[in-house]
Amino acid sequence: MKQLIHLSRIALLILLTFTSGWCQSVVKITGVVRDRTTHKPLYGANIVVEGTGLGTSSDECGRWVIENLFVGEYTITASYIGYESQTKSGVKVGLDRPVEVDFDLQPKVINLPCITVIGSRIPEEQPTSVVIITAKDIEQSNAQNLGEILQQVPGVEIQEKDGEKTVSIRGSRPNQVLVLLDGIKLNDALIGEVDLTNIPLRMVERIEVIKGGSSARFGAGAIGGVINILTRKPSQSQITLQGEVGAYGTTNWAPTFSGSLKRLGYFVSFEQQKSEGDYPYSYERPDGTTIKEDRINADFFSNCGFGKFSYQWGSYEFELHGYRFRSERGLPGLIFGLTPYARAKTDRNILGGHCGAHWRRVQADIHLSYHRSTTEYRHIYPPDVPLRYRTVPRYHSKSWLTDYQLRFTTQVFLQGLGTLRFGYEGNWTHYTDEDLIQPSNEPIGETRDYTHGIWLYDELKFPFPIGFKQGLLTSALRYDRIRIKNKEASEYERQWSPKLGLLLWRGKLNRIGLKANLGRSFRPPTFADLFYQEYRVKGKPDLKPEKSFSFELGVSIKWHIWGELQAELTHFYNKVDDLIIWRLGSFATFSPFNTNAEISGEEYELSWQSPDEIFGLRWSRTHLKPINKSGERTTHNRDLPYRLRRSVRIGVDLNYRIFQLQYRRRLIGERFVTEANTVEMPGYEVDDLTVGVKPRIKGVDVQIRGSIYNLRNVKYQIMERAPLPPREWRIGLTLKRALKWDYRAE
């Protein structure tokens, strides 16, 4: 018995010794990196323990952790691009507890060589496919609107008709992609789509393209993915002037101002775009004759004003931003259905406020926003116009949308483990419309949408013992309650949206990573799907919401060989139940129907950049299988309309001293127009070229760019009978100067 007790004591002593040693070696030094002026956490700052070769980077909350240090005294350095480095010496590490070391970095103006990266993928941070586009990428691309910058992203297709551009991600419909501007939903409540030409780029700081179902993170409508647009924040005092001219009467000019007055920061921009759009095109008549003419009524005009103001008070931040956008465009119509008198007007106003607070391990934010949008469509032609311009009946309608949004988010940093986020989101939408030809007729009528969602998201970092160095496990769960109410009927939905992701990686400089995620998403029917009532166009109040199950598997490699080589292969699958498709039904009535679909495919990506970042190559290929599972004889196992079977994108970048060159090539495959796959549109190949110089003249950063789009003058269409412009050119000039009067709080 005594021997048993003695052995038990020895075992307990050994256990306590190992446990104590393990606990003392998990975390040694931790801290937060912040902006000294705004007190905001800095994501991705580099922290190095001098003389040891050990280091790490800060997370989204600015938090960092360095483990497995011996007892002693160290020197720690924190650095971040655009900020002055900071070093702290005499940091003593003992056996009793972790040491807290915080850094407050001072912003500074730096001049970097020109580096062009259209999309920066960060596979080591997320188990989902995410492409990041920065303000610098936008500036160097010479793009005018969101659609032009997104068309080079693998798996993303831009659909263009009547000058309007909408986005599809991995074979989704445009109304299955959620578009957010600073968290505010831009999708039209009537049909669920977003015209990307109505989103100017000069106010944009960052675009996040999140591929795959994402309702667990962002709520209803994210079956195909999310385009998350973040506007610019106040920075150092600077004035920027941008101007552009181009073919077919294109002009664009945009001044921006930014700076700070002690604790008050500001960013103000204005942008105006104009295009006559009268480009030439040709088509063949049924008798085989070729007709050449100009695309009339394809003009576009818009102006946009944006302002953002922030104020820092200790650990609290207050922000107010306003956005005003107006546009008018012609709707030229389709071949054999021309509408030279059709017009569309949009007036959008957004006012938002934000209050945030952060402590050591907790960050809380509350957002309030007001969104008012007015849209008018008009097609009134004189009685004596030619017959070819009267194939589309007259119409004149106007709609008003008012949306209020409240969001509350809390982030908790779990020391050494990861991050926990949870929050609430509420949307109150009011919609009205009017038929101005027959005022007694309301196509939809007064409709209200009440949406409430609560969500939980967790990131857990852990060491992976088999084959990989580290792992990241993400889990998300969201509950949405939606009530859509119309005078004719009402729709009530409750949906749970879970998602689980896993990322494993090995290596630092040379890295291999594996990712996997699966989840559920949903999209309720739009107002038009449910309630639209016009002659031979009828909505259905009993439509079911779209529900999807998606998963994704991928492997990525980053290898430094004569520069940096990256390769990635991703397989994706999305099964959509009760997919909503409009089709011609009985009595020649156009109505929505529920069907099923399975969309799967692969994305291949390969890129290389030289060691000095002068030269870069990029290649990607997307293969898609968009299968209709309707169960009907004429459409079952056929391709869904307007989904590309294959697409290839090639990019070449050259940045030598002040000289810049970008070459982009898109190879787009065939796609079917009808559900029965009886009509097929041919593929096409388009080349774009941009060259520029970026000298610095007497303290002013000057950038001169020239672009040629559709270099080989290819005749092509994205949507049937909607011809696109032939070769076109643009020349742009940007002047940027830092101002002296920048008063910052000490």
Side-chain angles (χ1 to χ4, degrees), residues 333-352:
L334 305 175
I335 297 175
F336 309 124
L338 300 176
T339 54
Y341 298 95
R343 310 291 295 176
K345 294 182 180 180
T346 300
D347 189 342
R348 175 179 291 153
N349 300 274
I350 295 177
L351 182 64

Side-chain angles (χ1 to χ4, degrees), residues 178-186 217-219 228-231 233 308 319 321 350-356 363-370 403-411 422-428 451-455 478 480:
L178 190 62
V179 181
L180 304 175
L181 179 68
D182 285 334
I184 301 171
K185 183 178 178 180
L186 298 183
R217 290 288 305 274
F218 299 95
N228 189 28
I229 306 164
L230 304 176
T231 56
K233 293 182 176 294
K308 179 179 286 189
E319 186 177 275
H321 64 268
I350 295 177
L351 182 64
H354 159 252
C355 176
Q363 180 175 335
D365 298 273
I366 185 170
H367 299 257
L368 294 169
S369 66
Y370 164 80
D403 181 81
Y404 299 91
Q405 184 183 84
L406 169 64
R407 287 183 290 126
F408 176 76
T409 304
T410 301
Q411 299 185 70
F422 56 90
Y424 162 81
E425 180 178 335
N427 284 275
W428 297 266
T451 300
H452 302 273
I454 55 175
W455 55 272
R478 181 175 175 124
D480 285 283

Side-chain angles (χ1 to χ4, degrees), residues 373-543:
S373 179
T374 303
T375 305
E376 181 179 1
Y377 290 96
R378 183 178 185 272
H379 181 221
I380 305 296
Y381 49 81
D384 56 345
V385 299
L387 179 62
R388 63 182 301 212
Y389 297 149
R390 288 186 285 166
T391 56
V392 177
R394 292 186 177 94
Y395 57 81
H396 191 186
S397 64
K398 199 170 185 179
S399 63
W400 298 265
L401 174 72
T402 305
D403 181 81
Y404 299 91
Q405 184 183 84
L406 169 64
R407 287 183 290 126
F408 176 76
T409 304
T410 301
Q411 299 185 70
V412 180
F413 176 76
L414 307 175
Q415 186 172 357
L417 294 176
T419 306
L420 175 67
R421 302 180 181 93
F422 56 90
Y424 162 81
E425 180 178 335
N427 284 275
W428 297 266
T429 303
H430 179 252
Y431 173 90
T432 57
D433 60 3
E434 183 180 0
D435 188 331
L436 299 179
I437 294 180
Q438 299 179 352
S440 60
N441 179 35
E442 295 179 338
I444 292 180
E446 184 177 8
T447 305
R448 299 179 185 272
D449 183 344
Y450 307 95
T451 300
H452 302 273
I454 55 175
W455 55 272
L456 177 69
Y457 177 76
D458 177 60
E459 289 184 357
L460 177 63
K461 296 180 180 178
F462 59 92
F464 196 78
I466 304 174
F468 291 89
K469 179 181 177 181
Q470 198 166 359
L472 174 66
L473 178 66
T474 63
S475 57
L477 180 64
R478 181 175 175 124
Y479 171 74
D480 285 283
R481 188 179 69 180
I482 301 174
R483 185 182 181 187
I484 304 175
K485 187 177 181 181
N486 183 272
K487 62 182 180 180
E488 300 295 335
S490 62
E491 180 82 6
Y492 187 74
E493 294 293 338
R494 295 179 179 179
Q495 295 288 341
W496 289 92
S497 303
K499 188 166 186 178
L500 188 66
L502 177 64
L503 176 66
L504 304 174
W505 69 88
R506 180 181 180 85
K508 291 185 177 180
L509 187 62
N510 299 320
R511 172 186 296 248
I512 181 171
L514 298 176
K515 66 180 179 182
N517 68 81
L518 56 89
R520 292 189 176 275
S521 299
F522 78 102
R523 184 184 75 91
T526 64
F527 292 173
D529 294 333
L530 294 170
F531 308 121
Y532 198 90
Q533 298 294 320
E534 281 282 344
Y535 177 68
R536 289 187 174 177
V537 181
K538 306 291 183 181
K540 290 184 176 181
D542 59 347
L543 273 180

Side-chain angles (χ1 to χ4, degrees), residues 296-354:
I296 59 176
N297 195 35
D299 61 296
F300 175 78
F301 175 83
S302 73
N303 57 58
C304 172
F306 176 79
K308 179 179 286 189
F309 303 88
S310 64
Y311 181 78
Q312 297 289 330
W313 182 53
S315 297
Y316 297 90
E317 178 194 18
F318 303 91
E319 186 177 275
L320 180 68
H321 64 268
Y323 167 76
R324 177 70 184 273
F325 176 83
R326 288 183 173 181
S327 73
E328 181 176 355
R329 69 164 67 251
L331 304 175
L334 305 175
I335 297 175
F336 309 124
L338 300 176
T339 54
Y341 298 95
R343 310 291 295 176
K345 294 182 180 180
T346 300
D347 189 342
R348 175 179 291 153
N349 300 274
I350 295 177
L351 182 64
H354 159 252

Side-chain angles (χ1 to χ4, degrees), residues 5 19 29 33 61 91 106 110 222 273 325 351-352 355 358 401 442 473 519 556 571 608 624 629 635 667 686 727:
I5 295 174
T19 304
I29 306 178
V33 185
C61 299
V91 179
Q106 176 68 41
I110 59 174
Q273 296 184 19
F325 176 83
L351 182 64
C355 176
H358 61 270
L401 174 72
E442 295 179 338
L473 178 66
S556 62
H571 172 77
W608 176 80
L624 194 67
K629 294 294 183 179
T635 60
L667 297 87
V686 177
R727 183 189 299 118

